[in-house]
Amino acid sequence: MDSDYGVARELSDLQKLRSQYQPELPPCLQGTTVRVEYGDVTTAADPLGAHTINRTFPNTYGQPLAHFLRATAKVPDAQIITEHPVLRVGVVFCGRQSPGGHNVIWGLHDAIKVHNPKSTLLGFLGGSDGLFAQKTLEITDDILSTYKNQGGYDLLGRTKDQIRTTEQVNAALNACTSLKLDALVIIGGVTSNTDAAHLAETFAERKCPTKVVGIPVTLNGDLKNQFVETNVGFDTICKVNSQLISNVCTDALSAEKYYYFIRLMGRKASHVALECTLQSHPNMVILAEEVAASKLTLFDITKQLCDAIQARGEQDKHHGVILLPEGLIESIPEVYALLQEIHRLLREGVSADKISTQLSPWASALFEFLPLFIRKQLLLHPESDDSAQLSQIETEKLLAYLVEVEMNKRLKEGTYKGKKFNAICHFFGYQARGSLPSKFDCDYAYVLGHIGYHIIVSGLNGYMATVTNLKNPTNKWRCGAAPIAAMLTVKRYGRGHGDSNLGRPALHPAIVDLKGKSYELLRQNATKFLLDDVYRNPGPLQYDGPGADGKPVTLCVEDQDYMGRIKKLQEYLDKVRSIVKPGCSQDVLKAALSAMASVTDILSLITTPSGNIPI
């Protein structure tokens, strides 16, 4: 019911204490002066897709980066925005709820009001459905009072959101026009911000004055690229899950007779599973990206698990904890192919109870091999992006079942002489997403809300709020905005979910980089984690004391300050220009020409699309 949105919550003592916490702002966002410096125009990271993206986004592609600066910054080209007219801004939650979402709205509200108290922030009730129906709630201090630093999306609610079809885009445009909105802020992940990019382009094309702004909020942690280091909610999700996993590890070590198979959320990417492994040190994790890269079959994964259990058994250890990402099931080649056949038959109108008779021979053989409970789950209708309903497929139970069969076989054959294998399965899917957000997510979300205002008042359309240098203290964060079009890629193959987006520029989920420092850290410790039971318990979320300022391990080990590096490069280029001027010596000119020729040759080679390398 619409009347349930925005009502005052009944808060516990801890919630009351958290609601009084005032997030920190970096110096560039403090005060009432907005200073913006524009960098060079942006391009697509994927050179093969650049032409398609440029053609699809003629109005919003190639826009410059924006950097927001402190009032005292001595940057001659920075623009100082002194006029802050009365604004009407709309904000909508899109996609799955993620801890910290409320603080984005709080930060946006505070920034709007501090610059002009007469401005208005309207929240759309019930996600994109509320946007289409123009159902709004005016956000006020009183309404926000019991939602500050709190979890969930219940201030405004959300639906199964998308703004994609012609009817949906037209409904969004009509809502923004009818409500006379200066800006629409979309809070969400890869799908929602893809929609934001397309919506911004449509608005620009149709001369709609409403600016569209994206905010990166998703628990999966898969909205990562050169501009976005991490997402609001990821830190909280991983800390809450890591505590649960650590508790299970302690239980396993105490009872010494169970193997716990724990499936974690994360959709296609395994960022949550990787981060939780580095925080809690379970015995083993199988990442979907590893399985896809090595084309591991169900048999391969089962053997890998059984060999690990046998190795532990030889050390008289008959317990353990194994983490699995929910996207693992789609990364197994033969299971993915089976799912593709099932989804095609479902789209053709074949009823679930008849599908098994219409599968190809090899798919039918695999389907009949699988236990009955998994068969039923594979027959569920796919999501809107054509991926399986991953949260409903109990991969952990499937693997526990296959491992038990194989370990019993080894026991019978005498190749394994340990104790009987016993498994307990869990799915940590919904336990964390309604959690009180961590201090980091409270600060990060609030800052992104403020940046949202800076983007709007700068007149930018189709931009995402960004913060880099996040692993450092808040006063060293760099705040800016990047065109969403610069983050898009064009999918040119049919492997994985979202095949309906082939050829359509989109934000695609960033998968775990198997060449990155985070994965390298996992591999360095894999043997120790497997055999030595070096379980680590980070404890519950902490808001004060030594653990309060902790940040994701995967954020801290990577050197991700892309925006900072771009600025550093600009400083070097400016320095070259200041040194190499008409009148400089021949030696200086020759050295500069030689160095720049080498650099441009290397960069041309790196950025030339594959298959088009000049001879």
Side-chain angles (χ1 to χ4, degrees):
M1 295 291 290
D2 292 350
S3 59
D4 293 334
Y5 295 122
V7 298
R9 288 174 160 188
E10 182 177 343
L11 302 182
S12 68
D13 289 342
L14 176 60
Q15 286 179 297
K16 290 175 184 175
L17 185 65
R18 289 308 298 154
S19 70
Q20 294 165 15
Y21 170 69
Q22 179 61 50
E24 299 178 52
L25 282 177
C28 61
L29 300 179
Q30 293 174 10
T32 56
T33 301
V34 174
R35 291 171 63 91
V36 58
E37 176 195 16
Y38 294 103
D40 291 334
V41 297
T42 53
T43 186
D46 174 14
L48 279 176
H51 177 69
T52 301
I53 299 168
N54 190 9
R55 190 175 65 240
T56 309
F57 296 87
N59 296 288
T60 53
Y61 180 74
Q63 297 189 96
L65 292 177
H67 305 277
F68 299 112
L69 310 173
R70 67 178 71 195
T72 56
K74 291 180 173 57
V75 179
D77 295 334
Q79 295 183 16
I80 302 175
I81 298 173
T82 56
E83 292 187 15
H84 296 275
V86 176
L87 296 178
R88 285 175 62 81
V89 178
V91 61
V92 59
F93 283 131
C94 287
R96 293 168 175 83
Q97 53 267 37
S98 190
H102 287 146
N103 273 32
V104 175
I105 295 178
W106 179 21
L108 180 61
H109 172 268
D110 278 7
I112 286 173
K113 291 295 186 180
V114 77
H115 288 96
N116 193 321
K118 294 181 180 179
S119 293
T120 302
L121 179 61
L122 297 176
F124 286 101
L125 304 177
S128 57
D129 284 353
L131 169 63
F132 306 146
Q134 301 183 34
K135 294 181 178 179
T136 64
L137 171 71
E138 183 174 349
I139 305 299
T140 65
D141 279 323
D142 286 343
I143 284 174
L144 282 169
S145 62
T146 58
Y147 291 89
K148 296 175 179 178
N149 304 313
Q150 309 297 311
Y153 275 9
D154 49 316
L155 170 61
L156 300 176
R158 42 88 38 172
T159 57
K160 190 175 182 181
D161 297 299
Q162 67 173 39
I163 313 172
R164 193 167 309 147
T165 67
T166 301
E167 293 77 13
Q168 291 168 338
V169 170
N170 286 338
L173 188 148
N174 290 337
C176 292
T177 303
S178 299
L179 294 168
K180 297 181 173 57
L181 296 184
D182 296 287
L184 175 65
V185 177
I186 294 176
I187 299 172
V190 289
T191 302
S192 303
N193 279 285
T194 295
D195 292 345
H198 285 273
L199 198 63
E201 179 64 30
T202 301
F203 281 17
E205 179 187 336
R206 299 192 193 178
K207 304 294 190 282
C208 174
T210 306
K211 309 302 182 187
V212 180
V213 176
I215 307 288
V217 180
T218 171
L219 60 89
N220 300 326
D222 57 1
L223 205 177
K224 292 174 70 173
N225 52 51
Q226 62 270 44
F227 306 106
V228 182
E229 293 184 357
T230 190
N231 313 138
V232 171
F234 179 74
D235 180 57
T236 304
I237 291 290
C238 293
K239 281 176 176 169
V240 172
N241 279 331
S242 293
Q243 185 207 357
L244 296 174
I245 293 163
S246 300
N247 293 347
V248 169
C249 289
T250 301
D251 188 77
L253 191 59
S254 301
E256 295 188 308
K257 60 181 179 180
Y258 297 117
Y259 272 91
Y260 291 88
F261 285 64
I262 301 174
R263 178 167 49 105
L264 298 167
M265 292 187 100
R267 303 298 297 162
K268 190 68 177 177
S270 306
H271 298 292
V272 173
L274 174 58
E275 176 65 31
C276 289
T277 300
L278 295 176
Q279 286 197 30
S280 58
H281 302 179
N283 299 104
M284 197 173 179
V285 60
I286 298 179
L287 303 181
E289 291 83 354
E290 292 176 312
V291 172
S294 301
K295 295 182 172 57
L296 299 180
T297 65
L298 262 180
F299 173 80
D300 294 329
I301 296 170
T302 303
K303 183 178 184 302
Q304 191 178 101
L305 288 167
C306 289
D307 289 348
I309 290 166
Q310 184 157 337
R312 286 179 58 78
E314 289 169 0
Q315 293 191 6
D316 200 27
K317 294 179 179 179
H318 304 286
H319 61 276
V321 178
I322 299 164
L323 303 189
L324 310 165
E326 64 178 356
L328 175 63
I329 193 73
E330 278 195 327
S331 297
I332 303 170
E334 70 272 29
V335 179
Y336 173 76
L338 171 61
L339 282 166
Q340 291 297 95
E341 281 202 31
I342 291 171
H343 292 170
R344 176 179 56 79
L345 292 169
L346 287 171
R347 284 194 297 270
E348 291 173 358
V350 179
S351 61
D353 59 338
K354 298 280 177 45
I355 281 182
S356 61
T357 64
Q358 298 194 33
L359 294 170
S360 62
W362 72 265
S364 179
L366 174 59
F367 188 75
E368 293 302 321
F369 164 77
L370 296 171
L372 181 60
F373 71 92
I374 284 290
R375 286 186 236 164
K376 290 180 178 179
Q377 293 162 7
L378 295 182
L379 292 173
L380 294 171
H381 276 268
E383 302 274 15
S384 60
D385 64 356
D386 291 332
S387 65
Q389 291 196 38
L390 298 176
S391 63
Q392 304 302 314
I393 300 177
E394 297 173 307
T395 312
E396 72 283 10
K397 290 186 178 179
L398 169 63
L399 290 177
Y401 166 82
L402 295 175
V403 167
E404 183 175 15
V405 170
E406 173 62 20
M407 294 310 296
N408 286 341
K409 178 186 172 188
R410 294 186 184 189
L411 266 174
K412 188 174 180 180
E413 292 172 347
T415 55
Y416 171 61
K417 304 182 186 304
K419 294 181 180 178
K420 188 178 186 303
F421 172 80
N422 291 298
I424 296 176
C425 297
H426 295 287
F427 172 43
F428 292 168
Y430 304 99
Q431 294 90 334
R433 37 182 229 190
S435 169
L436 289 172
S438 66
K439 183 177 180 292
F440 173 75
D441 277 330
C442 287
D443 291 343
Y444 184 28
Y446 186 75
V447 166
L448 286 172
H450 273 261
I451 295 173
Y453 172 79
H454 279 54
I455 294 172
I456 296 164
V457 80
S458 300
L460 303 177
N461 179 40
Y463 276 70
M464 185 185 294
T466 63
V467 182
T468 58
N469 212 28
L470 280 168
K471 64 184 180 183
N472 288 303
T474 312
N475 62 4
K476 295 187 182 299
W477 288 1
R478 297 189 179 98
C479 301
I484 305 176
M487 306 177 191
L488 305 180
T489 54
V490 180
K491 202 168 188 180
R492 294 178 289 275
Y493 52 91
R495 181 69 173 92
H497 65 72
D499 292 348
S500 61
N501 286 332
L502 284 176
R504 180 180 187 263
L507 275 164
H508 290 106
I511 60 174
V512 169
D513 181 4
L514 298 184
K515 296 179 180 178
K517 292 182 180 179
S518 299
Y519 183 71
E520 182 184 339
L521 181 61
L522 173 66
R523 294 270 53 87
Q524 288 172 356
N525 290 281
T527 301
K528 182 170 67 173
F529 287 177
L530 175 63
L531 298 175
D532 295 346
D533 291 350
V534 288
Y535 302 142
R536 175 180 180 273
N537 195 328
L541 272 182
Q542 296 164 49
Y543 302 110
D544 207 1
D549 293 316
K551 295 174 182 177
V553 176
T554 48
L555 174 67
C556 294
V557 300
E558 299 288 351
D559 190 10
Q560 294 178 303
D561 187 15
Y562 182 86
M563 301 280 266
R565 288 175 173 180
I566 287 285
K567 289 205 72 175
K568 180 59 71 175
L569 174 62
Q570 192 62 55
E571 290 172 8
Y572 279 123
L573 293 174
D574 291 341
K575 197 167 186 178
V576 169
R577 288 192 190 97
S578 69
I579 295 172
V580 186
K581 290 181 177 179
C584 68
S585 71
Q586 286 278 11
D587 289 341
V588 169
L589 182 58
K590 286 179 182 178
L593 282 172
S594 175
M596 297 306 286
S598 298
V599 169
T600 52
D601 285 347
I602 293 169
L603 295 180
S604 297
L605 186 65
I606 292 173
T607 56
T608 299
S610 179
N612 295 306
I613 297 175
I615 297 174

